Structure formats: C-alpha cells, structure tokens
Amino acid sequence: MKKTIVILLSFMLILTLAACGGNTSGDGNSPDSSSKTMERKTLTMLVGAQGNWSYAKDKPIWKEITEKTNYIIEGQVPPGDNYKEAVNLTIASGNMPDLMYMSDFPTANKYGQQGALVNILDHLDVMPNFKKWLAAYPELKDRYMADGGKMYMFPNQGFGETNRITWLYRDDVFKKHNLKVPTTYDELYEVLKALKLQYPDSYPLVTRSAFNTLSRMAPNFETENGPYYDFDKKEWRYGPTEDNYKKMVVYMNKFYKEGLIPPDWLSINTKKFEDFIANNKTFVLLDYMVMDTYNTPLRKDNPQFDLQFMPPPSGFAGAKRQNPNENVVDSGMTVSSTSKNIKDVMKYMDFFYTEAGREMSSWGVEGVTYEVKDGKKKFLDPFKTVSELREKPGLLNYGTYTWIDYNAHLSISSQATRDAYKEATKYDPKLQPKPPFTDKEQDILNTIGQSITKHREETITKFILGDKSISEWDSYVSEVKKLGVDQLLEAYKSAYDRVLKAK
C-alpha cells in the first residue's frame, strides 16, 4: 500500500506540472494551417490505464481529435491498477486536470456535490449540440442526473451495446434433433431435458455470471434481482421477495437437480465456460452476443457449428418476453471546478455530440482505419476485430468517445450477428433509473442494503441447491422485511422523487 501511494504521489507531481502548463497555447500551426488559423489550446485530461488500449498522444485518433476540435489533449495515465485511488489523490491535491474520466456515477456525484466538479448543465449556452442531444435522449439524461437537478458526468450512448445480454442456442444441434426454439420456460425445461437425454455428460444450459445469472433471468419473469422501479405501478419494489422471482427460483432448482446446469454453476469462469462450448458440452447460453467469437474458430474443425441468437423465453403465461437492459456505460468524462479553461472544455466536449463527432468516434480516421467505397464506409483490411481498432489507432480508448454508432463496429461482424442485434432490441425493457443518493441514503444502502443482499444470496442459493425447501419462502420474505427492505426502498423512492421533481 505504501509503495502504491509513493508511486501515485510521484504521478501527482507530474500531473501538477502538466496542469500548470495546461493553459498554454500551441503555435497555431497544423497540417492544414491555411484552413485553420485559430490558435490551438491545450487541455489536460486524466484517464485510467487500459493495457494496449491506453492513452498515447501519438495514436491516430488523438491527432484526428485535434484536427476536428482544434484542441490539443495532454493526457495523463496514473501508474498501477488503482485508478480510483489516483482520482481521490488528484482531487485531494487540488491540482486537477481540466478533464477527468470517472468509472461510475457515485464517485462523480460525490465529488460534484463537494464542489470538485462542474455542473455541466450550467454551460449549455456554449454547448448547443449537447443541449439538442439531451432532448433526444431523455432516459439517459435522467440516468446521469445528480442531486438538485445537476449533471457532473457527460453521458455515453452506443458503446453500451457491448454489454447486451441475451439467450443463445446451438442451431445445428437443435436441427439435428428436431428441437424447437423454446418460447417459455416450460418449453425451455423440456428442451434442456431432451438435450440431456441425447448428451448425458453435457450440461445443456451454462452461464458464467454466478449468482448474477438471476439478474439476467429475472426480466423473463417481469422482476429484477434487487430493488427496481415498476414503471406501470410507478413504485419501487424489491424483486427477490416477489412471487414472480419465486417462480424463477423453482425453475433453477429443477435445472440444478436434474443436471441441466453444472453443479458448480456459481463458480464457472470464462475458461471453463469456453471449454463447455468448444467440447459440445452445452447448447444453450445466457451471455453476451458472442456468436462470432465462437462460430469463427470452432467452424474450422466443425463446419456445422452454429451458435445463434435466441429470443428470450417468457417465465410464465402472459409474461413479457424481455432481456435485461444493461446496454449502457455508466462512466464518462467530468470537468474539474479548478480548471481555468472551463468554457473551452465545454466547447471541446460539445463536438462529441455532433454527427461529425459521432462518426469520428465510431469509424476513426479515413485512410487510417476506414475507407469509403461506393458511398459506404468500410474498415480497412488490417482491422478484423474491434480490439485491433482499439490498439494502435486508439478507437474507443478512454476519452475518445461519448456518442457512437455501434453499427460501425457491427460492420465487421457476420450478417447473422448484425441481424441478431437488430432483432434483440425488440426485447429491451425500459432502462432502469439509477438515482443519486444523499450521504444518509447511501449509508442505508451500505448497511441495510448490504445485509439484505448477503441474506438474499445465501438463502436463494440454498433454495436452488435444495438445501432449503421452497415451502419456506414466506419465512424468507419475512426475514427480508425484518432486515429493513421497506427502509431500503424508501431510500430509492426519495432519491428518484428528487430526480423527477428536478425535470
């Protein structure tokens, strides 16, 4: 810990010097100085490390950003893997850069309320494009709002598609055994049993999200794996005590008891998950949209291998067919209140909410990452994956995007995957609100909330493993109430009420 602090303090000295020089201007020259006579300004920025995707000023994307905005970004990447601690030390020092990347709402809202960050909405007069963008994305605006109707983090849209969770199935195996794609959990259960009969040493359904598997299944039962807002009833509810949640637990118990999921489903890591897939030991998945990830390499040995998108099954008669909506990125750029360039920072960030900014963040640099043929953009041949675009060119490195067109990245996917993404959007429920909490409310989440979460995971796990009879469900619900679930829900209600009132 001492070594980490020493390294971070050394970094702070470097950052201080950079911040002091952050208000200096460039010489006004550019590769096309005849068309750009405005003097360039330098803005400083703090972002976390991303391995080969980390900030480097010589990456083409940063040069293109300067060309498009006329601002030079002097980035700083703190050493080590404790970026949150680096942010804490940077703010405590008072020598903050103009821009700081933050990985979550609570951190940004906490420092915003303490006065370390600028309320972005106070500067809409110099951000006409961002103002227009907010009107087009009211759900995201609400999600990023802080207490008192303020906003301390610039919203992201588009990149969250990488987080899309859905059901997948082996189409080739289903066809081989004349199995129909299930539309309900009753049908899913029967299909899994049929697959187990054909492949006794398999586990037909596999996930790699441990207890969070229930978070992914819960929307199939019109509930959630924790507190959630019911848009129809306009109230906050606790999913894991609802009858619909109980129905899900009953199915999971049957899956476990009959060997339809692995006995160690709570500890399946990515390697084991991939081994199940590669060795034909599983045929139904609840995961990211990874069809191409497995279809491309596994078809070399098995040309028939065909992992495809499966619409979500409904948990009970009449239930909506919907997937979890996790298609967002709850991180982004913030603006330091000590910056001497706040107006410039806002103008700079406004560019990322223009169509030109979206195009650059999505496609990169013409002639470097993509070309235009017959009026259509196409990534150049060296770039076969998004990971390759993130390395040397720098696309989607921290600080290079807020609003992207995910179809750009899908353009290097198979047609089946592109079609699947389009189809999957039909099963998106409303995005759940994520209200900012006061210190008092946060204390409730940290104490009562954590106690309830611990009790939920322990008890629900026992129900699924058969260590506890489902006949004891009502007792479990009573225990959760005694732990203070009503107080927890009241904290969510109070926080969200403030968001609604601030509209």
Side-chain angles (χ1 to χ4, degrees):
M1 183 63 184
K2 288 181 179 178
K3 183 178 179 181
T4 300
I5 292 174
V6 169
I7 292 172
L8 287 173
L9 288 174
S10 299
F11 165 74
M12 287 303 304
L13 177 60
I14 297 171
L15 188 64
T16 300
L17 295 173
C20 291
N23 201 32
T24 60
S25 301
D27 58 10
N29 295 323
S30 72
D32 185 15
S33 58
S34 61
S35 62
K36 285 185 176 141
T37 57
M38 184 190 297
E39 191 175 22
R40 285 179 172 167
K41 291 186 177 181
T42 297
L43 301 175
T44 54
M45 176 188 72
L46 179 73
V47 292
Q50 290 179 283
N52 291 339
W53 304 340
S54 295
Y55 164 85
K57 65 180 180 180
D58 59 345
K59 286 186 175 183
I61 191 66
W62 288 109
K63 294 178 181 179
E64 185 71 359
I65 286 173
T66 295
E67 288 299 308
K68 296 289 188 182
T69 67
N70 224 36
Y71 287 99
I72 299 167
I73 300 300
E74 187 66 42
Q76 297 289 339
V77 181
D81 56 3
N82 195 342
Y83 181 67
K84 278 195 173 183
E85 185 61 27
V87 169
N88 293 340
L89 287 171
T90 300
I91 293 175
S93 74
N95 294 311
M96 295 181 282
D98 299 306
L99 285 156
M100 289 188 290
Y101 172 84
M102 292 198 182
S103 57
D104 58 73
F105 290 142
T107 302
N109 290 338
K110 178 182 76 172
Y111 284 122
Q113 290 166 4
Q114 291 176 3
L117 303 177
V118 174
N119 174 23
I120 297 165
L121 300 183
D122 284 343
H123 301 274
L124 292 179
D125 59 318
V126 294
M127 293 190 289
N129 297 296
F130 180 56
K131 184 177 181 179
K132 182 180 177 182
W133 188 92
L134 287 175
Y137 292 94
E139 265 190 343
L140 285 174
K141 179 183 178 182
D142 288 349
R143 189 174 178 86
Y144 279 77
M145 293 296 285
D147 210 15
K150 298 181 179 181
M151 181 182 289
Y152 300 110
M153 180 186 286
F154 280 99
N156 281 285
Q157 197 280 330
F159 191 46
E161 283 293 332
T162 58
N163 296 331
R164 183 174 285 280
I165 298 295
T166 191
W167 289 83
L168 308 171
Y169 77 108
R170 280 285 298 276
D171 185 56
D172 56 317
V173 174
F174 273 54
K175 286 177 177 175
K176 180 180 178 180
H177 300 290
N178 296 313
L179 296 172
K180 291 183 178 179
V181 175
T183 61
T184 67
Y185 265 69
D186 280 343
E187 292 177 5
L188 175 64
Y189 174 56
E190 294 301 325
V191 165
L192 296 179
K193 285 199 301 179
L195 288 166
K196 184 72 174 180
L197 188 64
Q198 294 289 337
Y199 305 91
D201 60 343
S202 73
Y203 295 102
L205 170 61
V206 171
T207 71
R208 53 174 163 177
S209 49
F211 192 82
N212 198 43
T213 296
L214 302 185
S215 297
R216 297 177 173 185
M217 285 184 170
N220 302 158
F221 292 83
E222 296 189 0
T223 186
E224 296 285 344
N225 198 26
Y228 74 98
Y229 187 71
D230 186 320
F231 289 98
D232 294 328
K233 296 179 180 178
K234 293 183 172 23
E235 65 181 15
W236 283 90
R237 303 175 64 87
Y238 188 68
T241 56
E242 295 182 323
D243 287 342
N244 288 352
Y245 192 96
K246 178 184 176 182
K247 293 172 185 175
M248 175 178 66
V249 173
V250 170
Y251 275 108
M252 281 294 287
N253 172 251
K254 289 201 293 186
F255 295 167
Y256 176 81
K257 189 168 53 178
E258 298 181 34
L260 306 180
I261 58 176
D264 56 346
W265 65 279
L266 283 167
S267 58
I268 298 291
N269 58 25
T270 295
K271 184 183 183 307
K272 196 165 185 179
F273 176 79
E274 293 182 337
D275 286 344
F276 276 120
I277 297 170
N279 295 315
N280 296 307
K281 300 296 184 184
T282 192
F283 313 103
V284 180
L285 312 174
L286 182 53
D287 202 74
Y288 301 104
M289 299 189 73
V290 291
M291 295 84 78
D292 289 351
T293 302
Y294 299 109
N295 284 338
T296 301
L298 294 178
R299 282 175 182 169
K300 292 177 182 177
D301 294 325
N302 179 9
Q304 303 303 314
F305 187 97
D306 195 16
L307 185 65
Q308 292 298 336
F309 164 78
M310 183 178 100
S314 57
F316 54 88
K320 296 175 185 175
R321 299 181 69 182
Q322 54 188 15
N323 282 317
N325 190 342
E326 300 176 2
N327 320 321
V328 291
V329 175
D330 292 336
S331 58
M333 302 305 295
T334 64
V335 183
S336 305
S337 60
T338 57
S339 170
K340 296 179 181 179
N341 305 298
I342 291 175
K343 190 173 182 178
D344 283 308
V345 172
M346 297 301 175
K347 288 181 177 179
Y348 166 77
M349 289 302 301
D350 191 57
F351 166 74
F352 290 92
Y353 295 94
T354 65
E355 288 295 340
R358 186 190 192 204
E359 179 180 287
M360 181 204 66
S361 295
S362 307
W363 288 95
V365 186
E366 186 173 0
V368 177
T369 57
Y370 76 95
E371 62 183 350
V372 180
K373 280 190 174 181
D374 300 324
K376 293 184 177 181
K377 296 182 185 66
K378 177 182 179 295
F379 284 116
L380 296 175
D381 288 340
F383 305 108
K384 304 295 184 185
T385 67
V386 173
S387 180
E388 290 170 345
L389 288 164
R390 299 181 80 174
E391 289 178 12
K392 291 183 180 179
L395 258 70
L396 299 176
N397 290 184
Y398 289 152
T400 66
Y401 66 91
T402 58
W403 184 32
I404 72 162
D405 179 5
Y406 197 69
N407 288 321
H409 305 149
L410 286 178
S411 70
I412 53 179
S413 301
S414 67
Q415 184 61 51
T417 292
R418 294 197 292 272
D419 291 343
Y421 266 90
K422 185 177 180 180
E423 181 70 14
T425 60
K426 298 176 182 178
Y427 302 100
D428 287 345
K430 271 190 172 184
L431 186 65
Q432 278 290 308
K434 203 167 185 179
F437 299 100
T438 63
D439 289 344
K440 184 177 180 181
E441 291 162 349
Q442 191 62 52
D443 284 343
I444 292 173
L445 269 65
N446 293 342
T447 53
I448 294 174
Q450 287 300 315
S451 295
I452 291 172
T453 296
K454 183 174 182 292
H455 183 68
R456 175 202 66 187
E457 292 192 10
E458 290 176 351
T459 309
I460 296 300
T461 298
K462 288 178 180 178
F463 283 136
I464 293 172
L465 301 184
D467 297 336
K468 198 176 186 71
S469 171
I470 199 68
S471 63
E472 298 180 63
W473 180 264
D474 290 344
S475 296
Y476 153 71
V477 172
S478 296
E479 290 163 1
V480 173
K481 287 184 177 179
K482 288 178 182 177
L483 286 171
V485 71
D486 289 339
Q487 195 174 346
L488 177 66
L489 293 176
E490 183 58 35
Y492 275 87
K493 180 182 181 302
S494 297
Y496 190 51
D497 281 350
R498 291 194 301 274
V499 172
L500 296 177
K501 288 176 183 176
K503 282 187 176 184

